[in-house]
Each structure stands twice: as C-alpha cells, then as structure tokens.
Amino acid sequence: MKLVYLIGFTIVMMLFSCHSEPSLQRYFVDNLENKDFVSLDVSSNIINIDKAKLTSEEKDALESFEKMNILLFKMDSAKTKTKQFEIESAKVKQILKGKEYQELMKVGSGTNAASISFVGDEDKIDEFVIYAKGKDTGFAIVRILGDDMNPNNVMSILSIIKNSGIDMEQLKPLEGLMK
C-alpha cells in the first residue's frame, strides 16, 4: 500500500513540476533563431579594465556581475511588423508581471516606455531586467545577471562597461541596429 502512495505522490509531483510559468530566459531561448530578433550575450570577460584603478564599490560590483543578455526586436521602416510588435511586447509585459519579477521603476511618454525590474531581494538581487520600447523603433530587453547585486552595483557595472576597452567584435550584431 505504501508503494501505491509513493508512486501516486511521485506522479503528482512530476505533473506539478512540468507546469511552469513563462520566463524571460525561456522567451530569450524561444527567439534566438527568430529572424525578427537580434540576440547578444555579453560575458564578464568582455570588460577589459585595469582592476587596480577601480574603487572598492566598483570592484564589488564587477565581482557580482556574471553576464548580460540582450534581445532586440527591431521595427522595420515600413511598419509591417506592427502586429507582431504588439504581440511580442504583450508577451514580455505578461512575463514581467509574474510574481518572480519586482518592478523597481517605470517611465513612459506616449509611444515610448521603459521599466526596470529585478529578481531576488532588494539587497541580494540575482537579475536586473531593463525593458524599453518605442512603437517606431521596436523593443529591447536587457537581463543583467549576477550574484547578490544591488541597484548601485548595476549602475557601477554599466559605467564600467561604458568606460572599459570592450572588445567591439562581440558587439557586432548590434551595429546594424544602430543605423
């Protein structure tokens, strides 16, 4: 009889574990090969900077940083992708409304909007998500992944990346979007 209960419990647990809510990670993976998206992963080793010149706060921030994932949906000049833009944008919004993500800040004016969300506790953040969209340009999702980050870490990391000697070859996929 105990064996029947054990088998039943195992089956129930397997069924519940198979059901999962959509996540940004899954969204990124699902759209890697989609021609309407540009995907880019930036690892911590892209940052070429003399660590001796960093402040202790910047060193802490850099140590907490693991990688950055960027996914871009670029609107075409003829606006033929408007419907797809709306669908994809709604998917991202729905994911960011999930219980895992906590909204830190939201800004918007007319057709442009941006938000910053995070996963984890306020002082031990594992993921920052920057989502920006414009009806005429498309949208971008930036996931900054790390370990025990805080909002100051993210600002420091972005500053370090901006001021470092980044290997621009790794950023080639973005070149076409900047034009």
Side-chain angles (χ1 to χ4, degrees):
M1 189 69 168
K2 288 182 184 179
L3 182 61
V4 171
Y5 285 118
L6 181 61
I7 292 172
F9 178 75
T10 303
I11 291 171
V12 168
M13 291 306 293
M14 287 176 22
L15 289 174
F16 279 110
S17 66
C18 290
H19 174 68
S20 62
E21 293 181 22
S23 69
L24 277 182
Q25 182 176 357
R26 179 86 248 153
Y27 187 79
F28 271 67
V29 170
D30 290 346
N31 289 296
L32 280 176
E33 301 297 322
N34 187 329
K35 64 178 176 54
D36 295 321
F37 287 86
V38 174
S39 175
L40 179 68
D41 291 329
V42 179
S43 67
S44 60
N45 64 8
I46 194 173
I47 301 171
N48 300 322
I49 196 159
D50 183 4
K51 293 180 182 168
K53 294 180 180 179
L54 298 175
T55 67
S56 63
E57 185 180 294
E58 290 172 328
K59 287 178 186 175
D60 289 343
L62 196 54
E63 287 176 15
S64 71
F65 173 65
E66 291 175 11
K67 66 180 176 177
M68 191 179 328
N69 304 125
I70 303 167
L71 187 67
L72 303 163
F73 177 91
K74 186 178 180 197
M75 186 62 81
D76 58 341
S77 58
K79 308 284 187 281
T80 59
K81 295 194 246 178
T82 302
K83 183 153 180 78
Q84 185 182 2
F85 169 82
E86 294 297 332
I87 292 169
E88 296 301 331
S89 183
K91 286 180 187 177
V92 173
K93 284 182 194 175
Q94 188 63 36
I95 292 169
L96 292 176
K97 286 181 183 178
K99 61 184 175 193
E100 179 179 11
Y101 299 97
Q102 299 177 54
E103 191 170 82
L104 187 62
M105 184 174 79
K106 188 174 189 175
V107 295
S109 63
T111 60
N112 299 321
S115 68
I116 300 175
S117 303
F118 67 92
V119 175
D121 297 324
E122 290 179 15
D123 293 329
K124 294 184 178 186
I125 297 171
D126 296 320
E127 176 180 350
F128 273 96
V129 179
I130 302 168
Y131 171 62
K133 72 173 190 167
K135 266 199 183 302
D136 296 333
T137 56
F139 66 80
I141 309 165
V142 179
R143 295 175 67 218
I144 301 171
L145 304 168
D147 190 34
D148 294 340
M149 296 183 294
N150 63 50
N152 291 335
N153 288 140
V154 172
M155 297 311 293
S156 293
I157 290 165
L158 293 175
S159 176
I160 291 168
I161 290 172
K162 181 181 175 188
N163 296 324
S164 72
I166 292 178
D167 179 3
M168 295 309 285
E169 280 301 309
Q170 293 189 36
L171 300 177
K172 278 284 191 206
L174 294 177
E175 190 176 285
L177 292 174
M178 300 300 180
K179 295 177 181 178

